């Protein structure tokens, strides 16, 4: 497979400036699908518990490539393109299910659970006539296979033989923070898809942007769930692509002063909840970290907001649109009280989330605001120009880390 | 006479009138009246048909008290940031499905068009209300309203309740 050349020249050296065409250019988008999503990265595809038993499968996407993730008879995870080797039709039509084998509905070509072509209808023809040429070898035909790797119940897939092993890809600091949350078997509580009217990178940047959280999301600051003046920091993986930010549960009544001095909208004292049970959070990980947001390049988010746990999968849908697939989860051994707490705190996230509602819109605001500014540059300068870990969240270090990784993959 | 003792034919106009008032309150942007359509305690949840069928309990919105409903309205008015928008609910005829734990069970289909500030009108959601209705202070109120959306996909955001 040839890798397309980068379609444009990157205008500046610094990581602290980003041209707006990168969210708009169709040729750039096509190159991203090849160079990033189908390139040497690990794409999050599903939870291990989604494909727990032999034959269990889920369908999803790697970039725009439809894929099937399936548990084989051998217990191993397999992933292959959801595309019949014959005429290219989808092989599996459901989101999930259990199968002994897969059969394309178009001409009934059949695949085993590893994606090998094992049956061609009328391969020998009918009554001695027709059929495939004797030279046709089924083993030489089949959908493209992906490598799979799992960690702490998360399943990732990669099309490239060059992708490093998953643990090395993540780096120790990010891996440890995945394991911090996903330390025991999960129980799925719900799934939703949010359609967003913006380029996929605007969402990924938003998640990595520790600067915006307490300024845009006034629900948080109003109820003092997080402020930039609270303790915490951000860890950026050495390659820049992955990050984990943390907010410590440390309150200080004088903390509103910094917001008031700057006249920030995010400061509204005296707004109380009629039913504060929403914010009844238990320190279930025993380390005082109230929020942890973690990303894995290019498409994965792991979220701990109080006791509200979720994974989010970023699915690009053209240069100007994407889908965000949310899976809310708890743990298999949750008490009824913890289960109920998670249902309540789910109000914080998703398309109607008190906290994440704005994130669904703000990417669209950038997409629309910068519509005529392809060659202008956005400013990503908080905390300097580097992409190193920092002991503050008033920084855009992890956003610059994203661009560091992005430019390396794209050849910019 | 308690609502649950009324025959279905007599309940139909009562439930329909409640649904009409409920939809008007939301569509007319009188969200402060919205919690008053519920009993206390109550359950209000927005979910998808797929989650509902699979028994996944989490909702996009989940409230188990009038206080939580009031808090959502307060957050929409004072904390959350979103573009100006409005709904138009078209609510179908309720099917009265009997009694559960002293409450009337009803199911009503709905369709919601969302009108954005720039004039964009989209079919935003379709689904059904799965309701448990009780007498509350002499009026019919929701002890439980589960909003089961037909699709699992939501466009951009769901700010105003369904």
């Amino acid at each position: 497979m040839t890798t397309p050349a980068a379609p444009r020249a990157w205008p500046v050296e610094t990581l602290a400036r980003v041209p707006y065409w990168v969210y708009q250019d169709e040729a750039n988008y096509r190159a991203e699908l090849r160079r990033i999503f189908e390139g040497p990265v690990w794409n999050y595809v599903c939870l291990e518990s989604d494909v727990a038993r032999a034959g269990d499968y889920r369908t999803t996407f790697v970039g725009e490539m439809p894929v099937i993730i399936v548990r084989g008879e051998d217990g191993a995870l397999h992933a292959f393109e959801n595309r019949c080797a014959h005429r290219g039709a989808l092989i599996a039509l459901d989101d999930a299910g259990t199968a002994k084998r897969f059969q394309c509905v178009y001409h009934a070509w059949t695949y085993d659970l590893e994606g090998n072509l094992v049956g061609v209808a009328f391969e020998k023809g009918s009554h001695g006539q027709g059929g495939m040429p004797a030279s046709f070898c089924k083993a030489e035909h089949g959908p493209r296979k992906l490598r799979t790797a799992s960690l702490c119940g998360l399943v990732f897939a990669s099309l490239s033989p060059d992708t490093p092993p998953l643990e090395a890809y993540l780096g120790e600091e990010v891996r440890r923070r995945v394991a911090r949350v996903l330390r025991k078997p999960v129980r799925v509580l719900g799934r939703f898809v949010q359609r967003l009217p913006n380029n996929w990178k605007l969402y990924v940047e938003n998640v990595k942007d520790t600067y915006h959280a307490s300024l845009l999301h006034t629900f948080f600051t109003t109820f003092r769930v997080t402020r930039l003046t609270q303790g915490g920091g951000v860890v950026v993986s050495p390659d820049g692509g992955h990050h984990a930010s943390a907010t410590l549960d440390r309150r200080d009544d004088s903390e509103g002063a910094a917001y008031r001095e700057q006249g920030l909208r995010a400061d509204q004292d005296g707004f109380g909840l009629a039913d504060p049970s929403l914010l009844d959070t238990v320190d279930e990980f025993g380390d005082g970290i109230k929020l942890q947001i973690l990303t894995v390049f290019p498409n994965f988010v792991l979220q701990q907001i109080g006791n509200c746990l979720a994974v989010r999968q970023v699915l690009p849908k053209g240069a100007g649109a994407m889908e965000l697939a949310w899976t809310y989860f708890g743990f298999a051994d949750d008490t009824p009280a913890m289960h109920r707490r998670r249902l309540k705190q789910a109000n914080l996230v998703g398309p109607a989330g008190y906290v994440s509602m704005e994130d669904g819109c703000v990417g669209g605001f950038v997409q629309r605001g910068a519509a005529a500014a392809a060659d202008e540059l956005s400013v990503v300068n908080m905390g300097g120009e580097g992409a190193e870990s920092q002991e503050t969240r008033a920084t855009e270090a992890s956003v610059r880390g994203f661009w560091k990784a992005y430019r390396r993959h794209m050849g910019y | 006479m308690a609502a649950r003792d009324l025959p279905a034919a007599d309940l139909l106009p009562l439930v329909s009138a409640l649904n009409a008032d409920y939809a008007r309150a939301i569509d007319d942007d009188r969200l402060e009246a919205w919690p008053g359509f519920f009993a206390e305690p109550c359950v209000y949840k927005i979910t998808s048909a797929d989650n509902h069928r699979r028994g996944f309990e989490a909702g996009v919105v989940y409230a188990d008290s009038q206080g939580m409903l009031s808090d959502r309205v307060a957050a929409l008015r004072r904390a959350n940031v979103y573009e100006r928008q409005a709904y138009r609910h078209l609510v179908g005829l309720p099917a009265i499905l009997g009694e559960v734990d002293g409450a009337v069970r009803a199911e009503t289909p709905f369709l919601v068009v969302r009108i954005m500030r720039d004039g964009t009108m989209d079919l935003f959601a379709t689904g059904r209300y799965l309701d448990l209705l009780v007498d509350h202070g002499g009026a019919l109120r929701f002890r439980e309203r589960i909003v089961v959306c037909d699709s699992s996909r939501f466009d951009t955001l769901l700010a105003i309740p369904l």
Side-chain angles (χ1 to χ4, degrees), chain A residues 204-406:
Chain A
V204 175
E205 287 183 278
N206 172 270
V207 175
K208 288 174 173 284
D209 171 3
T210 49
Y211 175 34
H212 87 283
S214 66
L215 297 167
L216 174 67
H217 305 306
T218 57
F219 187 87
F220 258 10
T221 44
T222 303
F223 297 103
R224 305 192 170 205
V225 181
T226 177
R227 294 183 187 229
L228 286 180
T229 43
Q230 247 174 291
V234 58
V235 166
V236 184
S237 66
D239 73 344
H242 327 303
H243 99 291
S245 65
T247 305
L248 296 170
D249 186 14
R250 193 189 304 146
R251 298 186 200 194
D252 172 1
D253 282 342
S254 67
E255 69 193 358
Y259 281 79
R260 274 194 296 276
E261 280 167 19
Q262 300 182 62
L264 298 175
R265 180 177 52 82
D267 180 63
Q268 294 187 25
D269 283 330
F271 177 26
L273 285 174
D275 185 343
S277 66
L278 176 74
L279 298 177
D280 164 33
T281 300
V282 170
D283 182 13
E284 64 178 305
F285 303 105
D287 55 11
I289 294 177
K290 190 125 186 173
L291 283 90
Q292 177 184 285
I293 306 292
L294 181 151
T295 59
V296 175
F297 190 87
N299 80 328
F300 176 72
V301 183
L302 171 65
Q303 157 220 306
Q304 175 233 332
I305 297 177
N307 303 112
C308 179
L309 311 178
V311 294
R312 314 175 195 163
Q313 181 188 19
V314 173
L315 299 164
K317 301 287 175 187
M322 59 163 279
E323 287 179 1
L324 188 61
W326 295 80
T327 303
Y328 304 163
F329 67 89
F331 296 113
D333 65 356
D334 280 348
T335 62
M338 181 58 89
H339 178 70
R340 193 173 160 87
R341 187 177 286 119
R342 295 197 205 283
L343 297 184
K344 289 196 181 204
Q345 293 188 12
N347 281 294
L348 296 170
V349 301
Y354 285 133
V355 179
S356 64
M357 188 185 298
E358 289 91 3
D359 293 322
C361 306
V362 79
F365 297 165
V366 176
Q367 197 82 29
R368 284 148 62 192
D375 296 315
E376 301 289 321
L377 304 174
S378 84
V379 177
V380 192
N381 236 152
M382 286 294 285
E385 296 192 26
E388 295 78 34
S389 302
Q390 297 197 358
E391 295 290 314
T392 174
R393 289 174 297 129
T395 177
E396 291 169 318
S398 50
V399 181
R400 288 187 291 275
F402 172 80
W403 291 109
K404 181 179 164 188
Y406 177 87

Side-chain angles (χ1 to χ4, degrees), chain B residues 63 66 69 72 88 96:
Chain B
Q66 281 195 0
L69 298 172
R72 187 155 278 275
R88 179 64 60 204
I96 309 298

